[in-house]
Amino acid sequence: MLDNALPRNERLRTLGAIRRLFMEGESGFVYPFRYLWYAEADSAPSVEVLFSVPKKYHKRANKRNLLRRRTKEAYRLQKQVITHHVGDRNLDLALIYSAREVLPSKKIHHAVHRILESIQEHL
């Protein structure tokens, strides 16, 4: 049975890890997301993810929350694509929504899938 939950220990929260991700991580763009990822060998392999919708493009909190929920749902349903290929590494991932318009869930789902596949190829 697949575990499609997104518990707190799978979210990127520590300031040091976030700073390291933005300073040393690799980045890419798949419309509508800019994504950053950083992998390092670790004794406890894990995948931690950060979701962001900038206030610059979406002034209303309800739109930011809607887009963040859609992104979390898309990742949650597809995270097994990346978790099986991590091996003995620790992977940090940031998904930053960069479009000015609110896109439907299907497009967000497809974009997250393409991002996870591209990271999988690099690993």
Side-chain angles (χ1 to χ4, degrees), residues 5-58:
L6 189 60
R8 184 177 175 135
N9 63 353
E10 291 183 9
R11 294 191 213 136
L12 189 61
R13 309 183 304 279
T14 60
L15 184 62
I18 294 170
R19 189 172 285 142
R20 183 183 64 220
L21 173 65
F22 278 88
M23 297 273 245
E24 301 173 16
E26 298 181 39
S27 66
F29 185 81
V30 173
Y31 184 80
F33 293 101
R34 179 175 158 243
Y35 65 94
L36 293 110
W37 63 278
Y38 178 76
E40 67 177 348
D42 198 0
S43 60
S46 67
V47 177
E48 294 183 357
V49 64
L50 168 89
F51 304 97
S52 177
V53 180
K55 197 174 187 178
K56 179 179 179 180
Y57 299 134
H58 302 282

Side-chain angles (χ1 to χ4, degrees), residues 32 66-67 70 97 101-111:
L66 172 72
L67 293 168
R70 287 181 180 174
Y97 191 89
E101 62 274 353
V102 177
L103 294 176
S105 297
K106 191 170 185 174
K107 288 190 178 187
I108 292 174
H109 189 83
H110 182 65

